[in-house]
Amino acid sequence: MNIENHPVVSREEWLAARKQHLAREKAFTKERDKLSAERRALPWVKIDKDYHFQGANGELKLADLFGGRSQLIIYHFMFAEGWDEGCPGCSYLSDHIDGANQHLAHHDVAVVAVSHAPLA
C-alpha cells in the first residue's frame, strides 16, 4: 500500500474497521489453536536410527543430547554447502536463545542446535 494514498478516517470509522478486523483475528486464532492441537495429537515415531553428532568434545549419540533431561528440543540451524555463513533467521535465534534456555532448563527441557555447518 502506498503511504501517500493511505486512507485517513475519523476515530469512529477506524474503530468500526478495527472491530471488524479483530473478529477476523480472533477467528484465525481459534483455527490456529485447533490446528496446533491436531498437530500435537499426531502419533509419535519411534527413532530407530543410530544418530551420531560431532560436538565440541567429540562424538555424541542422540541420547547424549538430552544432557540428563527428559525432553529435548532440536533446532536445525540451516547452513548449506557452499555457504559462508548461516541462515539469517537461524543466526538471530541463536543470538537470543540463552534467555529462553534458562527457563526451559527449569522445565526439564534441553535445547541443542544441529547443523551441517563446520563445528568451528
Side-chain angles (χ1 to χ4, degrees), residues 21-36:
H21 187 259
L22 181 60
R24 292 184 59 224
E25 284 181 326
K26 286 183 178 187
F28 171 76
T29 298
K30 288 177 183 174
E31 278 300 310
R32 185 186 61 222
D33 290 347
K34 182 180 170 187
L35 188 62
S36 295

Side-chain angles (χ1 to χ4, degrees), residues 23-82:
R24 292 184 59 224
E25 284 181 326
K26 286 183 178 187
F28 171 76
T29 298
K30 288 177 183 174
E31 278 300 310
R32 185 186 61 222
D33 290 347
K34 182 180 170 187
L35 188 62
S36 295
E38 290 172 3
R39 182 184 60 247
R40 288 189 301 273
L42 287 172
W44 294 352
V45 176
K46 183 177 180 177
I47 305 295
D48 293 324
K49 186 175 176 181
D50 188 23
Y51 286 98
H52 293 262
F53 302 88
Q54 191 63 37
N57 297 319
E59 189 172 277
L60 300 164
K61 291 190 169 205
L62 180 61
D64 298 324
L65 301 181
F66 283 80
R69 299 211 168 87
S70 67
Q71 300 174 82
L72 176 65
I73 296 173
I74 297 178
Y75 183 81
H76 176 219
F77 186 101
M78 293 182 282
F79 192 103
E81 188 175 328

Side-chain angles (χ1 to χ4, degrees), residues 100-119:
N101 197 19
Q102 176 183 350
H103 295 287
L104 290 168
H106 290 302
H107 294 279
D108 202 27
V109 178
V111 180
V112 297
V114 298
S115 181
H116 292 287
L119 190 57

